[in-house]
Amino acid sequence: MEAKLEFLFFNKYNVSSYREFHKHHCFELVYYINGSGSTIIDGKKFLFTKNTFCFMQPNTSHDRSIKERSEIISIAFLHNLPIEIEAGVYDDIDGKIYSYLDHMKQEFLDKKAHYQLKLNAMIVEIMVELDRRINTHKLTKDLDSLNYIKNYIDVHYNEKINLDSLAQLSFYSYHHFRHKFKEFTGLSPNQYVIRKRIEGAIEMLKNTDRSISEIAMDCGFSTTAQFCLLFKKHVSKTPMEYRNYFANNL
């Protein structure tokens, strides 16, 4: 099984209405052709308007409060595709998702030969489209966020950096942020900060006559001892050995 339609439903609501909290054993996509209202999905409230749609995971509690005349079309389905869509409400600016659903509605009503196979295949198409427009956009936002954090560290490496605060900017837990940042740069956030401080110290050792302790402070290290230990670990020379080596090999 790649995808299997469980049910397809369409209806018009001429007055405000409320559907109490309920669950389905399958995924559900509810498209609002017109109208407006709100829905609470797994405890989080979302607003919907014309040309938006809700996506729900299996066994997720949700309700529906329609505030004005509305027309909806919804599908419930199972799938084992390598695609995960986060529950929520999304815009269908170009109308492509509605086009799929309207086509499915006609297939369902006409019931031509192999219409069930056709409907199942169209669910696969919808999921691929959702993945492209939702998850790809989210990935772009993630990369923008991680690049901002990287650039911040590049500029402020010599200051006290609160990595927990930077993690909040990525909208991830620190553990998830650490994993994402390492995927992005090849280093954990802490390792990246240390590398930038070592690089800054190397430039100062080569181009200034500032003392080792001054360089340690200027590059953001807590103590001279910490600086010397980490410098030796990364460069295989003490700061003074490196300075002398560079001076003798000009």
Side-chain angles (χ1 to χ4, degrees):
M1 177 194 74
E2 287 192 329
K4 179 178 180 295
L5 180 69
E6 294 288 284
F7 67 79
L8 185 151
F9 174 80
F10 45 92
N11 199 8
K12 293 181 180 180
Y13 300 89
N14 294 321
V15 295
S16 61
S17 65
Y18 178 71
R19 174 77 189 276
E20 295 182 349
F21 283 98
H22 58 287
K23 298 179 181 180
H24 303 292
H25 71 284
C26 47
F27 297 91
E28 185 180 18
L29 190 158
V30 180
Y31 193 102
Y32 295 90
I33 301 169
N34 51 53
S36 65
S38 63
T39 180
I40 297 175
I41 305 173
D42 202 21
K44 187 174 181 179
K45 185 174 182 178
F46 298 91
L47 301 178
F48 57 79
T49 57
K50 178 181 177 180
N51 296 331
T52 62
F53 61 90
C54 304
F55 189 90
M56 274 79 70
Q57 306 287 343
N59 300 311
T60 299
S61 178
H62 58 281
D63 70 348
R64 179 171 65 239
S65 179
I66 292 178
K67 299 301 182 184
E68 59 180 349
R69 180 175 178 176
S70 301
E71 182 178 0
I72 71 168
I73 179 169
S74 66
I75 55 173
F77 56 95
L78 297 170
H79 77 83
N80 57 5
L81 301 165
I83 296 174
E84 293 184 13
I85 305 298
E86 186 176 347
V89 173
Y90 300 95
D91 291 319
D92 184 33
I93 297 173
D94 60 3
K96 195 167 186 178
I97 301 302
Y98 175 69
S99 178
Y100 280 120
L101 294 171
D102 190 50
H103 191 176
M104 290 184 71
K105 177 182 175 181
Q106 291 305 313
E107 283 287 337
F108 181 79
L109 293 174
D110 294 343
K111 291 183 169 54
K112 295 179 181 179
H114 309 300
Y115 77 96
Q116 291 177 318
L117 291 176
K118 180 76 170 180
L119 290 171
N120 293 341
M122 292 186 73
I123 290 172
V124 175
E125 291 187 61
I126 288 176
M127 289 301 294
V128 170
E129 182 64 28
L130 292 180
D131 183 64
R132 287 177 174 177
R133 66 172 59 192
I134 295 173
N135 291 336
T136 300
H137 177 66
K138 187 175 184 299
L139 176 61
T140 300
K141 289 177 66 177
D142 286 348
L143 292 177
D144 287 345
S145 175
L146 292 170
N147 192 53
Y148 170 84
I149 293 170
K150 173 185 172 296
N151 290 341
Y152 179 89
I153 294 173
D154 289 346
V155 174
H156 299 278
Y157 68 86
N158 58 338
E159 303 172 13
K160 184 175 181 180
I161 293 179
N162 187 323
L163 295 178
D164 285 330
S165 295
L166 291 183
Q168 291 176 13
L169 293 176
S170 71
F171 300 101
Y172 288 121
S173 66
Y174 179 75
H175 176 75
H176 200 171
F177 160 66
R178 184 181 182 279
H179 176 73
K180 289 287 187 181
F181 190 88
K182 188 169 185 178
E183 283 186 345
F184 184 60
T185 65
L187 299 170
S188 71
N190 190 57
Q191 289 170 336
Y192 189 81
V193 170
I194 291 172
R195 189 180 77 175
K196 294 303 297 183
R197 288 174 175 172
I198 294 294
E199 289 174 353
I202 286 174
E203 291 302 310
M204 295 186 73
L205 288 167
K206 293 193 297 185
N207 300 312
T208 75
D209 59 359
R210 295 179 70 80
S211 69
I212 301 302
S213 60
E214 287 175 326
I215 291 175
M217 295 300 104
D218 289 345
C219 290
F221 292 97
S222 300
T223 65
T224 303
Q226 182 201 44
F227 167 50
C228 292
L229 181 66
L230 290 172
F231 194 93
K232 179 74 179 288
K233 178 180 178 180
H234 286 80
V235 185
S236 299
K237 290 181 174 62
T238 67
M240 186 57 71
E241 287 172 345
Y242 182 85
R243 172 175 272 171
N244 292 336
Y245 174 83
F246 179 79
N248 294 329
N249 287 274
L250 287 176

